[in-house]
């Protein structure tokens, strides 16, 4: 059995803008466009068909894209696509790290490529740039502190001490890749499906708070953002608004105090407390009175 490891560039500019007082959020580049799972699987199936043509005999194969018990970075490293850097990302010396990984397992003996050595050297920009100090050390990531984990994989309440460090990130994080010297000359992807959908580059946060379940699914249909689910995504939006601290978000946050999801309500209350204007604090006091005495 052989493993064919591939990478698909998803890089799109413009570059990340710094957090400001505007009520805009940040979504990781990989989620600006269509879901990469849906895009890469057909490409790998086409590759399998091509392998069959070249082999001149039936070749059995199976494609994987961030699915199944497959150590994608390790396979890619052995295949020579790059090395696993200090930020735990696979880095190509010529293409950087803005690419998805996929694998095609085939029952065919192939001439194997050789891995390449680590080229991070003494650079530690990625380790220093992480706002949550998620890197325990070079090549070691504490996923519990990673912004990507906190905004995507974490299903419950975000730890209070980490919320201010998340900034305006509402789905994923690109920081440790943005500072990597190997990404300085990153080239734009030729895949149009990875281009930003309307509203997914630095989206306005306040309107997102009012999305119903049906509206959320419709708005992000075919997008990786569905992975966070509405409750997790609106949790992230509330945290981002609390960090931005704009009074313009208070009316929408107050309305969201009545959200059906306790996860959303809890983070909305935290955001109002962080903003701390008179109207925000008054709304919190009213809610506390209402919950302590429903007849109020």
């Amino acid at each position: 059995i052989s493993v064919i490891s591939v990478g698909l560039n998803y890089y799109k500019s413009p570059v990340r803008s710094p957090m400001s007082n505007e009520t805009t959020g940040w979504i990781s580049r990989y989620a600006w466009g269509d879901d990469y799972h849906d895009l890469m699987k057909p490409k790998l199936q086409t590759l399998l068909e091509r392998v069959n043509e070249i082999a001149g005999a039936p070749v059995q194969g199976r494609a994987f894209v961030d699915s199944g018990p497959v150590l994608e970075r390790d396979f890619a490293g052995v295949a020579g696509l790059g090395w696993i850097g200090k930020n735990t990302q696979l880095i190509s010396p010529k293409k950087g790290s803005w690419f998805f990984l996929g694998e095609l397992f085939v029952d065919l003996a192939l001439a194997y490529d050789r891995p390449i050595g680590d080229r991070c050297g003494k650079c530690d920009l990625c380790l220093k740039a992480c706002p949550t100090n998620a890197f325990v050390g070079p090549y070691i990531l504490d996923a519990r502190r990673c912004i990507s984990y906190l905004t995507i994989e974490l299903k419950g309440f975000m730890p209070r001490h980490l919320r201010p460090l998340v900034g305006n990130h509402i789905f994923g994080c690109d920081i440790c890749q943005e500072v990597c010297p190997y990404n300085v000359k990153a080239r734009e992807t030729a895949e149009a499906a990875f281009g930003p959908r309307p509203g997914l580059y630095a989206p306005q946060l306040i309107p997102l708070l009012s999305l119903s379940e049906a509206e959320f699914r419709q708005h992000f249909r075919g997008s990786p953002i569905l992975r966070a689910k509405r409750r997790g995504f609106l949790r992230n939006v509330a945290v981002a608004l609390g960090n931005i601290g704009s009074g313009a978000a208070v009316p929408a946050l107050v309305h969201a105090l009545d959200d059906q999801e306790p996860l959303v309500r809890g983070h909305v209350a935290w955001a109002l407390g962080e903003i701390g204007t008179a109207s925000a604090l008054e709304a919190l006091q009213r809610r506390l009175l209402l919950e302590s005495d429903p007849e109020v």
Side-chain angles (χ1 to χ4, degrees):
I1 294 178
S2 298
V3 179
I4 302 173
S5 185
V6 302
L8 179 61
N9 177 22
Y10 67 84
Y11 179 78
K12 280 286 187 181
S13 56
V15 296
R16 182 178 187 275
S17 57
M19 179 175 167
S20 68
N21 287 327
E22 297 178 359
T23 53
T24 57
W26 183 255
I27 292 174
S28 178
R29 277 180 179 80
Y30 88 86
W32 286 358
D34 295 348
D35 194 323
Y36 64 97
H37 299 88
D38 300 332
L39 195 68
M40 286 192 73
K41 270 289 184 69
K43 290 181 180 292
L44 286 168
Q45 292 298 334
T46 300
L47 177 59
L48 178 59
E49 294 171 6
R50 182 59 178 151
V51 170
N52 271 274
E53 293 175 5
I54 296 174
V59 176
Q60 297 298 316
R62 184 175 178 184
F64 291 90
V65 180
D66 194 19
S67 60
V70 178
L71 299 176
E72 293 187 317
R73 286 174 300 175
D74 294 279
F75 278 125
V78 172
L81 268 67
W83 72 93
I84 298 176
K86 291 180 181 177
N87 63 357
T88 72
Q89 301 283 332
L90 190 84
I91 304 173
S92 164
K94 295 183 179 180
K95 299 183 181 298
S97 62
W98 302 108
F99 55 89
F100 299 120
L101 294 174
E103 299 77 37
L104 181 62
F105 284 64
V106 293
D107 61 346
L108 187 67
L110 298 173
Y112 303 130
D113 294 298
R114 293 183 178 182
I116 60 178
D118 188 318
R119 301 187 186 182
C120 284
K122 296 182 179 180
C123 179
D124 60 356
L125 292 175
C126 57
L127 309 183
K128 294 178 178 178
C130 180
T132 58
N133 295 313
F135 293 105
V136 178
Y139 313 102
I140 304 174
L141 174 70
D142 182 351
R144 297 168 300 178
R145 299 183 65 89
C146 177
I147 292 176
S148 287
Y149 168 77
L150 293 170
T151 57
I152 303 174
E153 304 299 336
L154 179 65
K155 304 307 178 187
F157 282 78
M158 195 179 295
R160 292 180 66 92
H161 67 287
L162 293 178
R163 294 176 196 177
L165 306 179
V166 170
N168 67 340
H169 292 85
I170 58 174
F171 190 87
C173 178
D174 291 334
I175 293 175
C176 68
Q177 294 192 83
E178 288 172 344
V179 300
C180 179
Y182 286 98
N183 282 326
V184 170
K185 297 181 180 180
R187 295 183 178 181
E188 296 260 337
T189 179
E191 182 55 65
F194 292 148
R197 293 182 177 187
L200 288 194
Y201 170 74
Q204 291 293 324
L205 295 175
I206 294 176
L208 294 176
L209 270 181
S210 63
L211 290 177
S212 66
E213 182 67 40
E215 289 170 338
F216 171 77
R217 291 185 174 277
Q218 175 63 30
H219 189 71
F220 296 110
R221 181 165 51 179
S223 164
I225 293 175
L226 288 177
R227 182 179 181 87
K229 296 185 171 49
R230 175 188 178 273
R231 62 197 297 270
F233 188 69
L234 265 60
R235 170 201 62 191
N236 302 338
V237 170
V239 170
L241 287 171
N243 287 330
I244 292 171
S246 173
V250 170
L253 287 166
V254 171
H255 184 267
L257 280 174
D258 293 321
D259 194 271
Q260 60 184 353
E261 290 285 352
L263 183 68
V264 176
R265 297 198 302 270
H267 289 78
V268 163
W270 177 86
L272 287 169
E274 289 296 296
I275 293 174
T277 62
S279 58
L281 296 178
E282 182 182 351
L284 282 177
Q285 290 176 340
R286 286 200 307 268
R287 176 46 57 102
L288 287 173
L289 286 173
L290 181 62
E291 292 187 354
S292 62
D293 186 356
E295 294 183 1
V296 173

